Amino acid sequence: MTERFDCYYCRDNLHGKKYVKKDEKHVCTKCFDKLCANTCAECRRPIGADAKELNHKNRHWHEDCFRCAKCYKPLANEPFSARDDGKIMCGKCGSREDGNRCQACYKVVMPVFFYSILLFLNKGDDIYCGPCHDKKFAKKCFHCKQPITSGGISYQDQPWHSECFVCRTCRKNLAGTRFTSHEEHVYCVDCYKTSVAKQCNGCKNPITGFGHGTNVVNYEGHSWHEYCFNCKKCSLSLANKRFVINGENIYCPDCAKKL
């Protein structure tokens, strides 16, 4: 025997029939329309089970009743503003009616909603439109000097758009990768080696400052990795020691005497 499945109010059997679940209760569409349906804030008629319902701040509308109180434009899929007197208006009519003004550009700014999302910004007691708020208060990118409205990265206490933080030579994005800087520009490791780094006078490889060989010896316009700054004859390390230059080679004082 099949278990009964009845309307909570009229006890009519709901098997094979359309019904609505309201507050964990199963209700036939007839009882729902009569006893449970919300009342439309515009036409004051019940919003039946078969109707599409829109709601905002505990108020309810038929889809076709949700229109601008001024120009009657349908607002079901449009931005709208909710006034203190209960009227719903499209953004254009609302701003003309009694909009607040941006404290920077003085254009009208209404608290506009689209499915309850605010489209203006507060700073203390003042109201700003989005572009003016960003221009006045957002951090500026160190590279392009434009406001950073979301995301961004920080390098040496300077904010950057992630899309601006790229290698100066190859334009590769450097966020999350190894890089270095030179004269306020940033470079990926490969471009720094080929385009910027000095060449070691000993091994002829780039002096990058990465990993092994971070210390550098400079003398009369030439540079060496510290581990390459050795006597040409006996291989003695000459970093922080006396040495003799002969052509392109360096020697310790003892080996230099034997030349």
Side-chain angles (χ1 to χ4, degrees), residues 127-197:
I127 296 174
Y128 293 87
C129 64
C132 284
H133 181 277
D134 292 342
K135 184 177 181 180
K136 195 173 182 67
F137 301 109
K139 291 182 179 180
K140 303 294 192 301
C141 175
F142 181 73
H143 175 71
C144 70
K145 312 305 179 186
Q146 296 302 309
I148 300 174
T149 57
S150 63
I153 62 175
S154 178
Y155 173 62
Q156 293 185 342
D157 296 325
Q158 298 290 352
W160 297 65
H161 290 114
S162 58
E163 60 269 25
C164 289
F165 197 66
V166 297
C167 173
R168 190 190 186 196
T169 302
C170 70
R171 313 309 296 171
K172 172 185 175 182
N173 192 289
L174 299 178
T177 66
R178 293 180 68 202
F179 65 90
T180 191
S181 62
H182 179 70
E183 296 179 351
E184 295 190 352
H185 298 292
V186 287
Y187 298 85
C188 68
V189 173
D190 292 337
C191 288
Y192 182 79
K193 287 179 179 179
T194 58
S195 304
V196 181

Side-chain angles (χ1 to χ4, degrees), residues 18-126:
K18 188 175 181 179
Y19 67 93
V20 178
K21 192 173 183 180
K22 175 75 171 177
D23 298 330
E24 301 301 319
K25 302 179 181 69
H26 300 93
V27 184
C28 67
T29 55
K30 184 177 180 180
C31 288
F32 178 86
D33 292 352
K34 184 178 180 181
L35 303 171
C36 303
N38 292 312
T39 300
C40 176
E42 180 63 27
C43 71
R44 311 313 256 173
R45 292 196 294 269
I47 304 173
D50 293 324
K52 186 172 182 179
E53 179 178 335
L54 302 177
N55 62 82
H56 175 66
K57 290 188 175 180
N58 297 319
R59 299 176 69 204
H60 309 269
W61 292 263
H62 293 102
E63 181 180 21
D64 192 55
C65 291
F66 195 65
R67 295 172 176 266
C68 174
K70 195 82 172 175
C71 68
Y72 303 107
K73 176 184 178 180
L75 298 176
N77 296 301
E78 300 289 337
F80 63 92
S81 60
R83 289 163 44 95
D84 292 338
D85 60 6
K87 291 181 180 179
I88 299 296
M89 290 190 179
C90 65
K92 189 174 182 179
C93 290
S95 64
R96 287 175 176 172
E97 190 75 10
D98 59 356
N100 295 306
R101 293 187 179 273
C102 172
Q103 295 303 300
C105 67
Y106 300 104
K107 292 180 180 178
V108 172
V109 179
M110 280 294 289
V112 179
F113 297 86
F114 184 73
Y115 292 107
S116 300
I117 299 174
L118 278 169
L119 298 181
F120 72 92
L121 298 156
N122 290 79
K123 192 71 173 181
D125 294 330
D126 296 327

